């Protein structure tokens, strides 16, 4: 007889892992609470040509960061989902100052983690990465996710064609929603939709309708194992705890910048005193004041 404990270790052994949290000289020590770096990439690994066509992903090789998000679970108070815009112009070890997504594109998870830690002063305890491959199946495994849209969304580049109003999104539609940049503020609005969708997906995944239904639970766990890459020291129970913590009503915000500027990398967001104040609160495990929170508009209610 296969016990729940045996199943837990079976799925844990199937997780994809990467060396994301290696030590480096001068690495910041532990900071209060638990902090995840969650990275969404445009990796097409595992997708067939037909799936790439159906999901409108294109055929680019490799992986670049579409999403950089910090999940901060403080010692007390509400968890936070913090989007770090990929256009944030920051020092990258060994590279000089560039948009933050260049860290992953040039040095993978390890360099991105180091860049985020040195930029924010926040110690990263866990790492999770998800690409295009498997995302749609993960959403479909829980029966889709209900989202309420304030506006219709039509973006051929993302394969997206949604009307305004509340509706249950399947995997293909959900992937289009978190990818689309067809907004006046492009990436700054997209990250709002990404945070809200992640919280909604975790809420659905931890609901009784999934947890008590083996025909939903096992496909979801199997899909998560296939779709997610974690650090070498992370386990499936760490992912489960993260899902539980952010499934309620987390504080969602975008890391503030003090303006924008045209740099050698193009239009960039420039961090300043407001950015430092924001991450100082996070690094101390203290509640971030409301005046430093920036939710943005987005398309999701």
């Amino acid at each position: 007889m296969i016990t729940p404990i045996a199943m837990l270790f079976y799925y844990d052994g199937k997780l994809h892992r990467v060396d994301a949290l290696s030590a480096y000289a001068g690495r910041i020590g532990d900071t209060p609470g638990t902090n995840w770096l969650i990275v969404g990439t445009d990796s097409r690994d595992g997708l067939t040509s037909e799936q790439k066509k159906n999901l409108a992903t294109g055929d680019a090789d490799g992986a670049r960061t579409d999403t950089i998000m910090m999940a901060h679970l403080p010692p007390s108070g509400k968890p936070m989902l913090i989007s770090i815009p990929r256009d944030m112009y920051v020092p990258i070890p060994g590279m000089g100052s560039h948009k933050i997504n260049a860290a992953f594109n040039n040095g993978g998870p390890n360099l991105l983690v180091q860049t985020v830690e040195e930029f924010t002063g926040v110690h990263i305890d866990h790492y999770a990465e998800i690409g295009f491959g498997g995302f749609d199946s993960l959403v479909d495994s829980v029966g889709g996710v209900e989202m309420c849209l304030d506006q219709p969304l039509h973006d051929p580049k993302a394969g997206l064609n949604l009307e305004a109003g509340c509706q249950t999104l399947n995997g293909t539609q959900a992937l289009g929603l978190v990818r689309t940049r067809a907004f006046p503020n492009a990436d700054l609005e997209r990250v709002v939709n990404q945070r809200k969708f992640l919280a909604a997906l975790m809420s659905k995944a931890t609901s009784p309708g999934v947890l008590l239904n083996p025909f939903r639970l096992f496909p979801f766990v199997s899909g998560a194992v296939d779709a997610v890459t974690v650090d070498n020291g992370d386990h499936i129970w760490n992912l489960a705890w993260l899902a539980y913590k952010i499934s309620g009503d987390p504080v969602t915000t975008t890391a503030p910048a003090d303006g924008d500027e045209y740099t050698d990398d193009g239009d960039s967001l420039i961090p300043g005193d407001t950015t430092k104040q924001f991450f100082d609160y996070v690094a101390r495990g203290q509640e971030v004041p409301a005046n430093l929170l920036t939710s943005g508009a987005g398309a999701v209610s």
Side-chain angles (χ1 to χ4, degrees):
M1 180 179 176
I2 300 178
T3 66
I5 297 297
M7 289 295 292
L8 187 69
F9 280 96
Y10 168 76
Y11 282 118
D12 184 63
K14 291 174 67 67
L15 272 173
H16 303 288
R17 289 185 166 88
V18 67
D19 184 20
L21 302 178
S22 295
Y24 56 85
R27 185 182 183 191
I28 186 171
D30 284 343
T31 51
T34 301
N35 301 295
W36 284 79
L37 190 65
I38 303 172
V39 178
T41 78
D42 63 1
S43 171
R44 282 88 170 161
D45 286 351
L47 292 178
T48 65
S49 296
E50 183 177 358
Q51 287 174 319
K52 291 176 184 177
K53 180 179 178 181
N54 291 338
L55 296 172
T57 65
D59 293 307
D61 294 327
R64 289 149 293 274
T65 48
D66 268 1
T67 306
I68 303 171
M69 194 181 301
M70 182 186 293
H72 173 59
L73 313 181
S76 62
K78 285 187 175 184
M80 297 184 72
L81 284 177
I82 305 163
S83 296
I84 303 176
R86 64 179 189 171
D87 291 342
M88 190 76 80
Y89 197 71
V90 303
I92 298 176
M95 291 180 57
S97 290
H98 292 278
K99 292 182 179 181
I100 195 168
N101 64 336
F104 184 93
N105 301 348
N106 288 275
N110 199 266
L111 183 58
L112 178 61
V113 169
Q114 182 178 354
T115 299
V116 169
E117 288 186 332
E118 293 186 353
F119 165 57
T120 65
V122 176
H123 182 89
I124 300 299
D125 303 290
H126 302 281
Y127 176 85
E129 175 188 320
I130 184 167
F132 288 167
F135 179 89
D136 61 318
S137 299
L138 193 63
V139 175
D140 288 335
S141 70
V142 296
V145 176
E146 184 176 7
M147 304 297 292
C148 294
L149 304 181
D150 294 331
Q151 62 190 70
L153 295 177
H154 304 289
D155 183 1
K157 292 182 179 179
L160 189 64
N161 186 18
L162 298 173
E163 299 303 322
C166 296
Q167 55 207 285
T168 298
L169 304 187
N170 62 29
T172 301
Q173 294 167 326
L175 181 59
L177 174 65
V178 299
R179 287 180 58 208
T180 184
R181 301 173 74 240
F183 306 106
N185 288 325
D187 196 54
L188 291 179
E189 293 191 56
R190 174 171 67 167
V191 297
V192 177
N193 297 332
Q194 291 170 342
R195 291 195 306 267
K196 291 181 178 179
F197 183 82
L198 177 61
L201 174 60
M202 293 302 97
S203 180
K204 182 71 177 287
T206 56
S207 68
V210 172
L211 294 179
L212 302 180
N213 183 349
F215 296 103
R216 292 290 187 204
L217 176 61
F218 289 115
F220 176 76
V221 174
S222 181
V225 165
D226 288 339
V228 177
T229 297
V230 297
D231 177 67
N232 287 331
D234 287 325
H235 298 281
I236 198 166
W237 42 90
N238 300 128
L239 286 171
W241 181 245
L242 172 66
Y244 169 73
K245 292 295 286 185
I246 65 175
S247 64
D249 184 26
V251 175
T252 68
T253 188
T254 301
D258 280 13
D260 57 89
E261 183 179 307
Y262 195 85
T263 68
D264 290 341
D265 289 1
D267 288 328
S268 306
L269 294 171
I270 307 301
D273 291 341
T274 305
T275 318
K276 184 179 185 307
Q277 291 173 30
F278 175 89
F279 281 114
D280 281 349
Y281 279 102
V282 176
R284 294 195 299 265
Q286 298 176 348
E287 183 179 358
V288 179
N291 66 299
L292 295 177
L293 301 178
T294 308
S295 61
V300 180
S301 300

